[in-house]
Amino acid sequence: MSDEPVKTADQSAPRRFKHYDRIMAAFVTILLLSNLIGASKPSYVILPGGMEWSFGAGVLFFPVSYIIGDVLTEVYGYARARRVIWTGFAALLFMAFMAWAVVSLPAADGWDGQEAYEKVFGNTWRIVAASMIAFWAGEFANSYVLAKMKVWTKGKALWTRTIGSTVVGQGLDSLIFYPLAFYGLAGWPPELLWQVVISQWLIKTAWEAILTPFTYLAVNWLKREEGVEIFDTDTNFSPFAAGDR
């Protein structure tokens, strides 16, 4: 698992990449499905000694979007990762609008699925807002930390920045989402809420660590395929900046 750079690219020169669009599609797909299917359901595992430990079901898949975000920043740089983050944000916004519109439509006579449909897809404004804010803050923090650490480490020790950025990004995501979405709601007592927040953070970070060998493989393969090695030494880190710098 080598950290050796492949080739330094001039970020100012416009170019097309072979796999950038595919990675963007994978990122958005995992982001939408993990938010649609897993975000609202708390589950649990039984720890040694019989203690029941709760966690959010979406934690099984949502961290993959952060791993892809790490790969994007490491290979293509912060500015191109920023474009993908905004694409995911727009997709989440449309998903929320579509869910609201479809759930609000009157059910046809004879269809008995409206109640179940509302329970699964009828997220409140709190959940939607919490999801959007947490995703935006967490992903940009993750990308920023990784880009800065890559410069500090001179491209060495990839694992330090993938895990380090996840500790910050996923921690911020969990800390924002669950309190904003569920604090004070029936079925979410404070002790359960904070247990889920901590569980999400620890499990997401553990996922990143476990999948580190695969991250190395993906990063090194992409750098060879794309012929690129970007260091964000003069990048505009504003989330609202345009362009590839």
Side-chain angles (χ1 to χ4, degrees):
M1 297 188 298
S2 172
D3 288 318
E4 292 297 322
V6 179
K7 181 180 176 183
T8 300
D10 179 5
Q11 261 187 290
S12 64
R15 60 172 297 174
R16 290 186 60 84
F17 295 103
K18 299 177 186 177
H19 304 291
Y20 177 76
D21 292 343
R22 296 186 182 95
I23 297 171
M24 179 188 293
F27 176 88
V28 174
T29 299
I30 293 170
L31 175 67
L32 292 180
L33 293 179
S34 59
N35 275 273
L36 184 68
I37 299 172
S40 300
K41 180 179 178 179
S43 187
Y44 68 92
V45 294
I46 303 297
L47 299 178
M51 178 183 176
E52 183 179 298
W53 186 265
S54 301
F55 65 94
V59 76
L60 297 176
F61 301 99
F62 180 68
V64 179
S65 68
Y66 270 78
I67 294 171
I68 296 176
D70 288 344
V71 172
L72 279 163
T73 305
E74 175 69 24
V75 176
Y76 301 102
Y78 176 89
R80 293 184 180 91
R82 174 174 56 208
R83 187 186 307 169
V84 175
I85 294 170
W86 278 114
T87 301
F89 186 86
L92 279 177
L93 187 62
F94 177 75
M95 183 183 73
F97 170 75
M98 182 175 175
W100 168 81
V102 172
V103 170
S104 299
L105 290 171
D109 290 341
W111 187 65
D112 61 357
Q114 181 65 19
E115 184 176 347
Y117 216 77
E118 290 176 358
K119 189 174 183 64
V120 174
F121 297 109
N123 287 335
T124 67
W125 67 268
R126 284 185 59 177
I127 294 176
V128 173
S131 178
M132 303 286 286
I133 295 169
F135 162 76
W136 188 88
E139 282 289 351
F140 273 115
N142 181 80
S143 187
Y144 175 84
V145 170
L146 190 142
K148 285 293 189 181
M149 288 187 68
K150 183 175 183 180
V151 175
W152 299 338
T153 59
K154 299 180 180 179
K156 307 295 184 180
L158 172 61
W159 67 271
T160 61
R161 53 188 179 273
T162 58
I163 296 175
S165 62
T166 297
V167 169
V168 176
Q170 294 279 23
L172 195 59
D173 186 286
S174 298
L175 186 62
I176 291 173
F177 175 70
Y178 280 93
L180 279 183
F182 302 114
Y183 183 79
L185 297 182
W188 284 88
E191 59 273 16
L192 171 62
L193 180 68
W194 293 112
Q195 192 177 98
V196 169
V197 168
I198 295 171
S199 297
Q200 293 285 97
W201 184 40
L202 294 177
I203 295 173
K204 290 171 183 177
T205 304
W207 263 121
E208 180 75 58
I210 291 168
L211 294 176
T212 293
F214 299 98
T215 305
Y216 267 86
L217 290 173
V219 164
N220 291 330
W221 179 77
L222 281 169
K223 286 178 179 178
R224 288 193 299 269
E225 283 283 299
E226 306 287 24
V228 67
E229 178 75 45
I230 292 175
F231 290 83
D232 288 291
T233 54
D234 59 350
T235 300
N236 183 349
F237 284 99
S238 169
F240 305 102
D244 292 334
R245 296 298 296 271

